[in-house]
């Protein structure tokens, strides 16, 4: 059994850090226009959005179930394993596998 728990305050800290990161990317694009061609601000925004989704462990539980289904459907389940969530012991801030 594995239990993943989000620490109190981690969402606030992560949100602030990602806002600073995204703002920094936008400033860098303004100061160094050559960085616009790699869409630094867009990459930072995508990273921010995907990272914030990780704060809801119910989403991670759903991805585990989806990945397990993929393994079974593709015939890989005999060689590759993936933990399944224990739904009744999991939630937004706790994931039990």
């Amino acid at each position: 059994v594995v239990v993943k728990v989000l620490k109190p305050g981690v969402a606030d800290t992560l949100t602030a850090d990602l806002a600073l990161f995204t703002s920094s990317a936008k400033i860098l694009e303004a100061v160094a226009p050559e960085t616009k061609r790699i869409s630094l601000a867009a990459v930072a925004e995508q990273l921010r959005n995907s990272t914030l989704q990780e704060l809801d462990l119910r989403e991670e539980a759903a991805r585990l179930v989806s990945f397990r289904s993929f393994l079974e459907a593709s015939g890989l389940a005999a060689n590759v394993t993936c933990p399944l969530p224990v739904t009744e012991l999991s939630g937004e801030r706790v994931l039990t596998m």
Side-chain angles (χ1 to χ4, degrees):
V1 174
V2 174
V3 179
K4 182 175 181 178
V5 179
L6 292 181
K7 293 181 180 180
V10 73
D12 294 336
T13 301
L14 188 57
T15 300
D17 289 350
L18 290 168
L20 177 62
F21 179 68
T22 304
S23 297
S24 297
K26 290 176 183 176
I27 291 169
L28 185 58
E29 279 189 351
V31 174
E34 63 273 12
T35 61
K36 274 192 175 180
R37 64 187 159 94
I38 60 170
S39 302
L40 192 58
V43 170
E45 188 67 28
Q46 286 179 338
L47 178 64
R48 177 190 166 280
N49 292 339
S50 64
T51 303
L52 289 177
Q53 286 179 343
E54 297 291 324
L55 291 174
D56 187 344
L57 296 181
R58 295 173 298 192
E59 293 290 325
E60 185 172 344
R63 285 190 296 275
L64 288 170
V65 170
S66 178
F67 186 61
R68 174 65 76 92
S69 295
F70 163 77
L71 291 174
E72 291 170 356
S74 62
L76 296 171
N79 300 317
V80 180
T81 188
C82 171
L84 284 175
V86 180
T87 308
E88 59 275 5
L89 299 175
S90 299
E92 184 178 357
R93 297 177 41 83
V94 176
L95 175 59
T96 306
M97 299 171 273

